[in-house]
Amino acid sequence: MVRSGGEPIPTEAAHLRERFLQGEPVARGGVRGSILDSWRRCRSLGLSPDQADLPFHDDFDPDGRIVRAAAPVLDRLQARYSGTEINISVADATGTVLLRRFCEASLAARLPAFQRVPGFVFAERFAGTNGIGLALADRRFIRVHGAEHFAERSQQNACVALPVRDPLSGRIEGVLCFGYPRAADSPGLGIVLRRAVRAVERRLLGESSARERALLRAYLATGADTADGPRRGVALDEPALGLRPRDRALLLERAAELLSRGQRAAVAVTLSDGRRVTLVSRPMASASGVAGLAVEVVVPGPAAPGGPGGAGAAGAAVPHRSDALPEFATAPTVLAAVSRLARLTAATTPRPAPATPPRPAPATPAATDGRRTGPPSSDRTGPTGRAGPATPPPSTRGLLLVGEPHVGAYAVAARRRLELLSEVGARIGTTLDVRRTVEELAETAVPRFADYVTVDLPEPVLRGEESADPLADLVRTVVHGIREDLPFTPVGQRIVFGPTAPQVRCLTTGRAELEPDLKVAAGWLAQDPEHTGRLLAHVHSLIAVPLLARGVVLGVVGFYRAQDPAPYGDDDRSLAQELVSRAALSTDNARRYTRERGMVLALQRRLLPHGLPDQDAVEVAHRYLPAESDVGGDWYDVIPLSGARIGLLVGDVVGHGMLSAATMGRLRTAARSFAELDFPPDEVLGHLDNLVGRLDRDDPDGEGAGIIGATCLYVIYDPTEQRCVMARAGHPPPALVRPDGTVSYPELPAGPPLGLGGLPFDAVEIDVPPDSGLVLFTDGLIEDRNRDVDLVLDQLCGALADHPERSPEETCEAILDSVAPAHPSDDIALLVARTHALDPARIAAWDLPPDPALVGGIRARATRQLADWGLEDTAFAVELILSELVTNAIRHGSGPVRVRLLHHRSLICEVSDSSSTAPHLRQAGSNDEGGRGLFLVAQLARSWGTRHLPEGKVIWAECGLDAA
């Protein structure tokens, strides 16, 4: 069964109620959430289901505002349901029943006193779960059926109830409730109840309108001439005064503020055209005793010629002194100011002199639209008949607003709420950080809406994930308020809310929960009696709002009021819901960004080198700093090459996000593969350029358009010759730090960025002395919107020159501390290498003509050199390798042959010639006489390969030092 309101009414409520009373757990699936929450509050209040006594008040006002508005509506309802067992009641905002109507007369005799006599209090904390009490607690439409009542006395009854609100303030004035036997339940009663409540609210609004009309009549009855000066009419002639729409809105805004103050006051207002007008409020009362205020506007007349802005008359419009009407002056100050204003206004009003003939009066501003008409000032005469100063034009005075102070307070509060919502849209979500976003929410709400704000988020949300059980892993994330010494749970501590806490209810129902008076909020007090008891000395009202966005529970926000004695109301709850809803979208955007950034950063770090290779050519240190906003595609690599050389590589993929990181991984892998093929730097960049072009063309959906593109710098250092070969593709050049501290940027052709296609790359060779430093970096280190690139490069030179003896690790730290931007907007990849030279004693080289007879001599020389190095155990393998390589070079190559042995971490055998023809390893057949030489080399050596030179090639083979 489902009733109006959306929640199913269970058929086993009596059984579930018994289980609940016995202390057994009851799930929300069996009992409606609002009923279960009410049962829990009743138990925390210590109520007994057998309790029969209710508080009784006999001092209520039988002719109060809600009674006058509801009585005719109840009379019509009684007539409509005449003969049925429905009883109709109206209670005030405390739950005290003020009116009773019985559709069957015999009901009054059969029902107990608490159900037929006005004055009994049905608030939830006294009567348990019931229609009136629950409607006040949940502040919405309520249906309670049979065993859903907490008290035993109501098990056979059912009821529907709905709060009655003041249409102006939105406050709950009372509750309208239909009670009837459980068997007489009908869905139509909820519809009738809502219509009846709307009728009562219309009558409440009518009463307010009637009171305002009475005040307007009292204003008109005061006459056209009062002690405060002459009155020109009821309303301003706006077209004549030339008031613009924004001027009228400004005047109404300030008038509402004056009205809300409830006392005599005055304020000067400057219009958009520079004119200054005065708003004056004065108390008044109607014949029926309605007290209110009238707000009038005084507009000075236009200046006469010769006065300020004219040429002639000395008697211009009354000048406004800036100190005549202080901003919102009150009490004696405003009384003096108003009296002075009255005298000035009276002095500027033309009155006919008794002893002189009447003259045509000057036209008023309303009639002339601010332009004077009539005789010029030279034709005017004073009382003696002589020409004198012109009579100044009159000021215009008219009624702007009339009403009771609380109405003005509502208007001011509504405007401030709109301003707060506008500020929320501007201030919240300036970053994509989850913590900072909820901090901005708290900072915006304090102190304009709340005195204290707490925000609790699940730990997974802080990491960018969704929480499977938000209530199980809440962490206090923000505590912000007008003071810092209140005993709120500190930031960083885990929060566990009890089942009756308003925070739990709001997360369960998905709507804001209001606790106007925390001193009687059973669910909040039961959360932690000692803790909440200390807080009650400072706060008195609470709104708990779930942080929900796109169906994801992000946390809960608590707004606490302390200084304002008025409790939070339903309009405040609506505002809180709107504030948090707007902040929730920004928070969810930050959460999603955090998750995506974490994924991209994890992918980026996974694709970067996890360690550096063991080698002796350079000492290397590296750093990678992701951008604060989006992770990009920067990378670095250190690649061991043949001949004890080392390759240093840095690159930067255009764009940010997952696609850039994935593209970076592909480019880094490809660059390493091309480098390990011993291609020179310019050829490596050429191959990468072709690859980037293919990646862009092969994107089937075009998602990579404008993203796939990269820059790259590749440096090869040879420790045997202390030389570097380098090339770059649109990348910043490296910094070279020589041992004496001299820092320079090698003259290296920039080259086009990767992906343009068809353009060549140029390589440059430079000498690099031992103990020099090579600093390779991406543009995130030097490019920043707030800094000049040339100045940053000079700053980098200074940081490197200060201490050239520093280790690469110390150099990295110094660069990041002194050169890197504090908040990088792009990734930074940094690679620092200190060069070393291979000891010449560990290098042996021989040149020989292409004569096969000399192969034996080379073997003998190599054997003696190995003996000198203490590597006799490797002699057999080296002799076979050199025999095969030298023989192939003489037979298939051209020009002189050069043999070189390098005693490094391994033993490297190199044979070079001037031919560019590279050998090819193949499997010889069983009957083939040749083709087994390279196969033999591959078996004896740890690795082997070909390295092309500008003229010729090098065939190399690497043997382990333990080779036998």
Side-chain angles (χ1 to χ4, degrees):
M1 179 186 298
V2 177
R3 295 302 187 194
S4 172
E7 288 185 298
I9 297 179
T11 57
E12 300 181 357
H15 172 67
L16 295 173
R17 176 176 172 274
E18 289 301 323
R19 289 181 53 190
F20 177 82
L21 294 177
Q22 293 173 10
E24 298 180 17
V26 176
R28 287 181 174 268
V31 181
R32 289 185 292 155
S34 58
I35 300 298
L36 183 57
D37 289 339
S38 179
W39 287 356
R40 289 171 174 169
R41 291 195 296 269
C42 294
R43 183 165 59 185
S44 65
L45 289 167
L47 296 180
S48 171
D50 300 325
Q51 182 178 349
D53 296 334
L54 293 177
F56 179 77
H57 297 161
D58 57 1
D59 57 349
F60 64 88
D61 185 3
D63 192 35
R65 185 165 176 254
I66 184 67
V67 173
R68 294 195 307 271
V73 178
L74 264 62
D75 291 340
R76 291 197 297 271
L77 291 172
Q78 185 180 23
R80 174 175 180 173
Y81 291 104
S82 177
T84 66
E85 296 188 26
I86 296 177
N87 69 88
I88 308 169
S89 57
V90 171
D92 63 12
T94 67
T96 303
V97 175
L98 307 178
L99 283 178
R100 286 283 192 185
R101 292 288 190 274
F102 300 97
C103 298
E104 164 131 9
S106 61
L107 279 176
R110 300 201 311 262
L111 293 176
F114 71 88
Q115 286 186 318
R116 56 183 172 83
V117 179
F120 283 96
V121 181
F122 281 81
E124 187 183 62
R125 65 179 183 273
F126 301 119
T129 306
N130 70 92
I132 294 175
L134 192 52
L136 289 174
D138 280 10
R139 311 176 77 83
R140 60 188 180 92
F141 174 83
I142 288 298
R143 184 185 296 270
V144 185
H145 186 271
E148 291 180 330
H149 289 88
F150 187 76
E152 291 287 351
R153 60 175 176 265
S154 303
Q155 298 297 294
Q156 302 303 316
N157 300 326
C159 60
V160 288
L162 183 64
V164 178
R165 302 177 185 275
D166 185 333
L168 290 177
S169 66
R171 291 198 305 261
I172 291 180
E173 294 288 333
V175 177
L176 179 59
C177 180
F178 291 175
Y180 43 86
R182 187 173 61 182
D185 193 12
S186 171
L189 289 176
I191 299 175
V192 175
L193 177 68
R194 286 187 170 89
R195 292 176 179 173
V197 167
R198 286 198 294 268
V200 176
E201 292 173 346
R202 285 195 300 270
R203 290 183 57 82
L204 288 174
L205 182 61
E207 285 193 9
S208 299
S209 301
R211 295 168 69 89
E212 288 188 356
R213 287 194 297 270
L215 287 175
L216 182 58
R217 286 193 295 268
Y219 175 83
L220 296 175
T222 57
D225 200 1
T226 68
D228 287 340
R231 185 172 294 106
R232 294 295 173 185
V234 174
L236 291 176
D237 189 351
E238 294 181 34
L241 294 175
L243 287 182
R244 300 175 182 176
R246 59 179 175 178
D247 290 335
R248 173 172 173 79
L250 175 63
L251 292 177
L252 289 175
E253 175 185 322
R254 305 308 291 273
E257 294 177 2
L258 281 175
L259 189 63
S260 66
R261 300 176 70 86
Q263 54 186 330
R264 184 183 296 269
V267 61
V269 181
T270 302
L271 302 180
S272 60
D273 57 3
R275 288 183 296 166
R276 293 175 67 85
V277 300
T278 304
L279 299 182
V280 181
S281 66
R282 60 186 183 89
M284 55 185 301
S286 68
S288 59
V290 179
L293 289 94
V295 180
E296 298 173 316
V297 59
V298 180
V299 183
V318 178
H320 176 79
R321 292 174 51 196
S322 60
D323 60 342
L325 291 173
E327 189 78 1
F328 289 119
T330 56
T333 305
V334 73
L335 295 179
V338 172
S339 299
R340 183 164 60 252
L341 175 65
R343 291 195 300 272
L344 292 174
T345 305
T348 60
T349 304
R351 298 179 183 274
T356 57
R359 298 190 308 272
T364 65
T368 64
D369 195 17
R371 296 184 295 274
R372 290 188 55 212
T373 58
S377 59
S378 59
D379 295 339
R380 298 179 182 270
T381 59
T384 61
R386 299 178 182 178
T391 302
S395 298
T396 301
R397 188 185 189 97
L399 178 66
L400 187 62
L401 200 61
V402 65
E404 298 176 87
H406 66 273
V407 177
Y410 300 153
V412 172
R415 177 173 57 82
R416 289 175 179 171
R417 286 182 172 87
L418 291 176
E419 291 174 351
L420 181 59
L421 288 175
S422 176
E423 185 176 348
V424 165
R427 289 189 57 181
I428 296 181
T430 58
T431 67
L432 287 172
D433 180 79
V434 175
R435 291 181 184 273
R436 183 57 195 150
T437 301
V438 294
E439 286 174 357
E440 290 170 341
L441 168 63
E443 292 168 359
T444 305
V446 174
R448 297 174 59 181
F449 178 69
D451 296 311
Y452 300 93
V453 175
T454 63
V455 182
D456 306 316
L457 303 181
E459 285 186 345
V461 171
L462 294 172
R463 299 193 300 265
E465 305 168 4
E466 295 184 10
S467 177
D469 185 4
L471 290 174
D473 48 18
L474 283 175
V475 175
R476 178 58 48 88
T477 307
V478 173
V479 176
H480 183 69
I482 56 178
R483 289 171 50 186
E484 298 182 357
D485 57 346
L486 261 64
F488 286 103
T489 303
V491 172
Q493 186 171 328
R494 186 175 294 275
I495 301 292
V496 179
F497 292 110
T500 59
Q503 290 85 349
V504 173
R505 298 204 308 271
C506 78
L507 288 176
T508 304
T509 61
R511 63 174 184 271
E513 293 291 332
L514 170 63
E515 292 288 359
D517 188 358
L518 290 177
K519 293 181 179 179
V520 297
W524 186 77
L525 292 171
Q527 166 65 25
D528 185 349
E530 181 181 357
H531 180 69
T532 54
R534 295 197 306 270
L535 277 177
L536 278 177
H538 306 279
V539 298
H540 62 81
S541 193
L542 163 68
I543 301 176
V545 188
L547 199 62
L548 299 173
R550 303 180 179 98
V552 178
V553 178
L554 303 176
V556 61
V557 183
F559 298 96
Y560 293 86
R561 179 168 285 180
Q563 290 187 329
D564 190 345
Y568 280 127
D570 287 278
D571 51 347
D572 297 308
R573 177 169 63 175
S574 300
L575 177 59
Q577 185 82 61
E578 181 65 22
L579 288 176
V580 175
S581 296
R582 298 191 180 193
L585 290 176
S586 297
T587 305
D588 191 50
N589 289 340
R591 179 192 67 82
R592 289 167 176 251
Y593 167 76
T594 301
R595 179 185 61 185
E596 181 177 346
R597 185 175 187 273
M599 295 170 59
V600 174
L601 187 57
L603 176 63
Q604 176 85 336
R605 295 193 182 279
R606 183 66 180 172
L607 295 175
L608 289 174
H610 292 175
L612 297 178
D614 293 332
Q615 45 82 34
D616 296 324
V618 292
E619 180 185 354
V620 181
H622 57 88
R623 293 291 187 275
Y624 170 74
L625 268 67
E628 285 194 349
S629 56
D630 293 318
V631 179
D634 291 18
W635 88 90
Y636 61 88
D637 209 345
V638 179
I639 308 169
L641 301 175
S642 64
R645 298 172 306 144
I646 195 74
L648 305 175
L649 189 69
V650 291
D652 182 5
V653 175
V654 175
H656 299 85
M658 188 71 72
L659 179 60
S660 295
T663 304
M664 178 275 291
R666 300 171 74 176
L667 289 184
R668 175 179 170 262
T669 302
R672 189 178 186 92
S673 300
F674 295 144
E676 288 178 344
L677 291 174
D678 269 331
F679 291 141
D682 51 340
E683 291 189 27
V684 169
L685 295 183
H687 288 297
L688 287 176
D689 182 56
N690 294 332
L691 173 63
V692 172
R694 287 197 303 273
L695 291 177
D696 204 3
R697 291 190 300 270
D698 294 344
D699 187 1
D701 301 324
E703 296 179 357
I707 296 181
I708 298 181
T711 64
C712 186
L713 169 64
Y714 184 31
V715 177
I716 298 178
Y717 172 67
D718 188 346
T720 64
E721 299 180 358
Q722 295 87 54
R723 293 182 64 82
C724 273
V725 182
M726 59 184 70
R728 61 179 177 140
H731 200 89
L736 175 61
V737 186
R738 298 186 182 274
D740 60 357
T742 304
V743 182
S744 63
Y745 298 101
E747 293 293 335
L748 182 61
L754 301 177
L756 296 183
L759 299 177
F761 300 95
D762 296 325
V764 172
E765 290 190 21
I766 59 174
D767 292 325
V768 179
D771 293 326
S772 297
L774 284 169
V775 180
L776 289 72
F777 51 87
T778 56
D779 56 4
L781 178 68
I782 60 174
E783 293 184 3
D784 185 79
R785 67 185 65 180
N786 300 318
R787 304 189 300 172
D788 182 79
V789 174
D790 293 334
L791 294 178
V792 178
L793 290 175
D794 293 340
Q795 187 179 0
L796 177 60
C797 285
L800 295 174
D802 288 343
H803 300 280
E805 76 283 354
R806 281 183 299 213
S807 68
E809 285 288 344
E810 294 172 339
T811 303
C812 282
E813 292 298 330
I815 292 175
L816 294 181
D817 290 342
S818 60
V819 181
H823 303 283
S825 58
D826 194 6
D827 292 15
I828 298 175
L830 179 63
L831 195 62
V832 178
R834 179 178 295 279
T835 63
H836 300 302
L838 186 61
D839 187 355
R842 289 175 170 260
I843 304 174
W846 305 281
D847 294 321
L848 66 156
D851 184 357
L854 300 177
V855 175
I858 289 297
R859 289 199 301 267
R861 291 182 184 182
T863 301
R864 289 194 297 270
Q865 184 64 60
L866 292 177
D868 294 341
W869 287 339
L871 301 177
E872 294 87 347
D873 293 341
T874 63
F876 177 73
V878 171
E879 287 184 11
L880 291 177
I881 292 173
L882 286 179
S883 295
E884 182 61 31
L885 295 183
V886 172
T887 301
N888 283 344
I890 295 174
R891 180 179 298 176
H892 303 291
S894 62
V897 177
R898 182 178 178 82
V899 178
R900 190 171 70 161
L901 297 180
L902 302 178
H903 181 193
H904 191 47
R905 288 176 175 266
S906 60
L907 184 65
I908 303 172
C909 305
E910 296 183 345
V911 177
S912 59
D913 64 77
S914 58
S915 172
S916 60
T917 303
H920 175 64
L921 179 64
R922 63 186 181 86
Q923 184 71 38
S926 57
N927 297 324
D928 291 342
E929 295 184 0
R932 295 178 177 83
L934 286 182
F935 181 78
L936 182 62
V937 170
Q939 295 299 314
L940 293 174
R942 179 184 298 173
S943 60
W944 75 279
T946 303
R947 180 170 74 248
H948 289 274
L949 303 175
E951 293 181 359
K953 66 179 180 298
V954 175
I955 310 298
W956 58 270
E958 182 179 346
C959 297
L961 297 182
D962 56 348

